[in-house]
Amino acid sequence: MVDLESVKRAQLNVADMIHRTPILSSEQFDLASGNRVYFKAEHLQKTGSFKIRGAANAVKNAVQAGAASVAAASSGNHGQAVAYVAKQLGVPAVIVVPETASRVKVAAIESYSAEVVYCGTASAHRIPKAQQLAAENNGVYIPPYDHEDIISGQGTIGLELLEQVEGLDAILVPVGGGGLISGVLAAVKNVNPGIKVIGVEPEEANDTWLSLQSGRITSIPESFTIADGLRTSQPGAMTFPILQQYLDGLLLVSEADIKKTFQFLAERTKQLVEPSSAMAAAPLLFGELKGANLKAAVVLSGGNVDLKELQAFLPK
């Protein structure tokens, strides 16, 4: 069960592995959005994304329980995090990545001494492969989001935000498989239920939006949104009920608005973040929250950008 106590335990467990990331603000962004915005800078986190929080919690617990190795399936950031933590703990790691994985993210995984295995293009291809490799090597499979240790680890972001910024009206969080936002919900809603926690999802990868509309987990075909960290086919069995219980709203963002927000953050705030991170800020600049006069936090989830792909992330 993921609750406030499990998030607090995770906070103690991962403290020696992560940065307490700073809060950034931008007068230019505030003026353009009509809100007072605080950016939780997880793009400045170790391994370049929030993923190390959950990975540190899960891998540490697995090794303490006797795992001889770990395996993960990842489009990049989760794989980097698992590889980094495994190296710090002195256990081998194998990361199964899609054939379309970012060159930068794969290079980072390899820099942490993990073995990289390519398999297919969708999570349905690489997850069974990672599970197989874990079983063959007396190891433990570390899922990217649908696991109590992962969710609790990501929830430490929520605890930090509450300590760093007082009087928040809302927190905007990108939504893929739901591990990040589930953790934030478990932390924030059990400390200050008056703060609205709002998910943000690409229109092109709207599996969570469809699932919430139907009241059951709903799958979508493979997505090619530029927010590559959010290309999940369905929310997790563990994360979805948390969203159903606590989530205050879910906003969809077009590819055009993701690109415009990515450009604004790079040019006007001088922060180079992944499209998956930029997307979470888009409703404040171009969506229904523009001009809402909110004191809002945005989780900038990662900053692992391949500079050779920059042109694809910008408006035409």
Side-chain angles (χ1 to χ4, degrees):
M1 180 179 178
V2 179
D3 56 19
L4 181 59
E5 292 309 310
S6 70
V7 177
K8 288 182 175 179
R9 287 194 300 271
Q11 190 173 42
L12 293 174
N13 197 28
V14 307
D16 63 338
M17 284 275 183
I18 69 166
H19 293 313
R20 180 183 172 92
T21 51
I23 299 294
L24 307 178
S25 61
S26 164
E27 183 178 350
Q28 291 295 311
F29 192 97
D30 290 352
L31 289 171
S33 71
N35 297 281
R36 184 73 179 98
V37 182
Y38 300 83
F39 296 104
K40 181 61 170 162
E42 288 296 293
H43 62 302
L44 305 180
Q45 183 58 266
K46 289 183 182 179
T47 73
S49 87
F50 75 96
K51 290 284 191 177
I52 194 172
R53 295 174 181 265
N57 198 37
V59 174
K60 269 192 166 186
N61 289 343
V63 171
Q64 288 168 2
S69 67
V70 292
S74 170
S75 63
N77 286 342
H78 175 61
Q80 288 182 58
V82 170
Y84 174 86
V85 176
K87 183 177 182 181
Q88 299 304 306
L89 298 177
V91 296
V94 58
I95 311 298
V96 182
V97 304
E99 294 168 4
T100 55
S102 161
R103 173 190 62 82
V104 168
K105 293 178 181 180
V106 170
I109 291 169
E110 291 175 334
S111 76
Y112 300 131
S113 304
E115 177 186 358
V116 172
V117 174
Y118 289 88
C119 183
T121 57
S123 58
H125 303 142
R126 56 186 179 270
I127 289 174
K129 182 66 174 178
Q131 292 170 330
Q132 173 197 335
L133 292 171
E136 291 174 355
N137 293 290
N138 190 28
V140 171
Y141 169 67
I142 307 294
Y145 51 85
D146 214 24
H147 189 282
E148 179 180 337
D149 290 343
I150 296 290
I151 298 170
S152 297
Q154 319 305 26
T156 61
I157 292 174
L159 292 183
E160 287 183 18
L161 263 173
L162 294 177
E163 294 164 358
Q164 291 172 305
V165 186
E166 295 182 356
L168 284 170
D169 298 312
I171 302 172
L172 278 68
V173 186
V175 177
L180 172 56
I181 194 165
S182 294
V184 172
L185 284 165
V188 172
K189 287 299 186 178
N190 285 294
V191 174
N192 188 342
I195 298 175
K196 291 185 177 181
V197 179
I198 300 169
V200 189
E201 188 175 46
E203 285 182 354
E204 299 297 316
N206 64 341
D207 51 289
T208 297
W209 188 88
L210 291 172
S211 297
L212 290 168
Q213 293 296 308
S214 67
R216 59 183 176 82
I217 292 176
T218 303
S219 298
I220 61 171
E222 184 178 359
S223 166
F224 295 97
T225 173
I226 61 168
D228 65 326
L230 308 177
R231 291 174 186 167
T232 49
S233 59
Q234 64 182 52
M238 186 175 291
T239 62
F240 184 58
I242 298 174
L243 270 65
Q244 287 182 301
Q245 180 178 358
Y246 291 119
L247 191 66
D248 292 296
L250 183 65
L251 304 176
L252 297 178
V253 178
S254 69
E255 296 294 289
D257 283 351
I258 296 174
K259 291 178 179 181
K260 287 189 291 184
T261 307
F262 177 89
Q263 182 178 33
F264 189 100
L265 290 173
E267 291 182 348
R268 308 290 288 277
T269 76
K270 313 308 177 188
Q271 301 303 309
L272 183 62
V273 301
E274 297 175 34
S276 301
S277 298
M279 184 207 61
L284 295 164
L285 278 179
F286 304 109
E288 61 188 79
L289 298 182
K290 181 179 175 65
N293 195 31
L294 295 172
K295 187 173 184 179
V298 176
V299 178
L300 295 180
S301 53
N304 292 316
V305 177
D306 187 341
L307 294 181
K308 291 185 177 180
E309 297 180 4
L310 274 181
Q311 194 62 43
F313 302 154
L314 297 171
K316 293 183 178 179

